[in-house]
Amino acid sequence: MSNKDKNIIKIHNLNKEFVVNKNPLRVLSDINLEIKEGEFVTIVGHSGCGKSTLLKIMCGLVDYEDGTVERNGHPVEGPGPNCGMVFQDHRLLPWLKIKDNVGFGLKNISKEEKEKTVLSHLKMVGLEGFENSYPAQLSGGMSQRAAIARGLANNPTILLLDEPFGALDALTRIQMQKEILEIQKKEKTTMVMVTHDIDEAIYLGDRIVVMSARPGEIKEIIETDPVESKKRGSVKFAEYKKKIYAYFFEDSDVDYEIEYVI
Ligand SMILES: Nc1ncnc2c1ncn2[C@@H]1O[C@H](COP(=O)(O)OP(=O)(O)OP(=O)(O)O)[C@@H](O)[C@H]1O
Ligand SMILES: [Mg+2]
């Protein structure tokens, strides 16, 4: 089996319940998902359907009672250095400068090497010159970019991204999408990204996981065409979009039909 075909994440028959005010709340239902090394998988679904919970389970931050979840062939029992996560809320430490936030997880390297890594990643996300600022001195979008830099600086094998571009303006977002794809190809990182932006899910995902409303179950996994999915104006792109919208709106009066002219 070549590396390309190695399943780096394996989730089988996963169910997850939280207990809220002594009542069980079923959040994830019978999730089966295998992710190949070097793959970019995007996840879309209604708010509250369990997307963040699923990522946190993959990361080892939330436990699960039912089913199996493996990373690199081992059951997930907690966070590990090879698996990074960029959280929905950026979670920068307010008392540390941006450069120290980004370098936070960098261990066992020289001071010079650390500084070089931090600065190159800050440059990558367009935050050059802000290394000595504190999180409170940045805008929402800048904080999110700092969190992305922190996630990438550790060069993890797997990077889980929970709506990392949610606070960015549309133009920066498109730029960041291009850059994250370039990084992913260059570093061969396995990336799993939750997003509410359907275009983003199509553009970035080798496969798109479409989830139902809570309790979240996988409705479909759409494999995208590697060339057509990178052309936002292509007919294929519009077809993917229409298919995904149909899952969310087919029982509503929202007009999700996408008209396109060839
Ligand atoms: N620690 C927790 N304790 C109890 N309930 C929780 C906990 N974390 C999440 N939930 C509940 O689980 C459900 C799924 O939450 P989750 O954050 O995974 O949704 P999501 O799909 O990421 O939503 P969004 O798109 O709004 O971020 C929600 O109903 C939420 O209230
Ligand atoms: Mg979420």
Side-chain angles (χ1 to χ4, degrees):
M1 189 165 72
S2 74
N3 256 4
K4 184 84 191 116
D5 298 325
K6 186 179 150 204
N7 284 320
I8 197 165
I9 297 176
K10 283 192 210 170
I11 304 174
H12 287 163
N13 306 329
L14 171 73
N15 292 293
K16 173 70 191 168
E17 260 180 25
F18 284 112
V19 176
V20 181
N21 299 326
K22 296 188 182 156
N23 294 312
L25 179 76
R26 185 86 181 267
V27 175
L28 293 170
S29 178
D30 199 25
I31 302 290
N32 286 286
L33 180 63
E34 298 191 337
I35 296 173
K36 291 190 206 69
E37 193 159 34
E39 207 180 6
F40 203 133
V41 171
T42 50
I43 304 179
V44 295
H46 283 291
S47 177
C49 78
K51 303 179 298 298
S52 296
T53 305
L54 182 58
L55 278 199
K56 286 177 192 162
I57 290 175
M58 290 185 205
C59 189
L61 291 168
V62 166
D63 60 4
Y64 54 98
E65 306 77 33
D66 201 11
T68 57
V69 181
E70 286 180 12
R71 243 182 12 231
N72 279 313
H74 300 286
V76 173
E77 282 163 354
N82 294 330
C83 181
M85 177 136 176
V86 177
F87 292 92
Q88 196 166 357
D89 48 354
H90 53 72
R91 297 201 186 173
L92 297 174
L93 300 169
W95 58 88
L96 289 183
K97 289 179 178 174
I98 293 306
K99 63 177 180 186
D100 298 321
N101 265 290
V102 173
F104 192 71
L106 293 173
K107 309 269 190 280
N108 306 323
I109 54 170
S110 68
K111 204 168 157 246
E112 292 74 33
E113 191 65 22
K114 185 168 172 172
E115 187 154 324
K116 211 173 125 203
T117 305
V118 167
L119 289 183
S120 72
H121 283 86
L122 280 174
K123 190 172 173 200
M124 190 186 290
V125 297
L127 285 179
E128 214 177 4
F130 290 91
E131 49 272 19
N132 290 312
S133 302
Y134 286 91
Q137 297 170 318
L138 301 189
S139 72
M142 289 163 86
S143 301
Q144 227 175 8
R145 281 185 276 149
I148 294 165
R150 179 178 56 186
L152 291 169
N154 287 295
N155 199 12
T157 323
I158 303 170
L159 188 60
L160 308 170
L161 301 128
D162 196 354
E163 295 188 47
F165 305 148
L168 303 186
D169 65 279
L171 299 178
T172 312
R173 192 166 183 145
I174 286 175
Q175 185 67 34
M176 288 297 300
Q177 287 166 2
K178 182 177 160 286
E179 276 167 25
I180 202 117
L181 211 51
E182 283 169 6
I183 294 163
Q184 193 252 348
K185 294 281 171 268
K186 189 163 142 257
E187 307 289 342
K188 301 187 172 50
T189 318
T190 306
M191 293 198 183
V192 187
M193 182 192 282
V194 167
T195 177
H196 278 134
D197 183 329
I198 305 300
D199 285 33
E200 183 168 281
I202 299 167
Y203 179 76
L204 292 177
D206 297 319
R207 287 187 299 152
I208 309 161
V209 176
V210 184
M211 292 181 68
S212 71
R214 196 185 62 235
E217 47 182 87
I218 297 178
K219 289 287 224 185
E220 187 174 346
I221 300 178
I222 301 169
E223 194 163 340
T224 60
D225 181 286
V227 177
E228 296 303 310
S229 65
K230 303 292 177 273
K231 298 181 199 157
R232 294 171 202 266
S234 72
V235 171
K236 196 84 196 144
F237 197 102
E239 282 171 4
Y240 292 134
K241 211 163 154 173
K242 185 171 163 182
K243 188 170 191 182
I244 296 168
Y245 278 131
Y247 274 113
F248 300 134
F249 298 125
E250 61 191 348
D251 296 328
S252 75
D253 56 1
V254 172
D255 178 17
Y256 63 83
E257 291 283 335
I258 297 162
E259 298 288 340
Y260 47 87
V261 181
I262 304 168

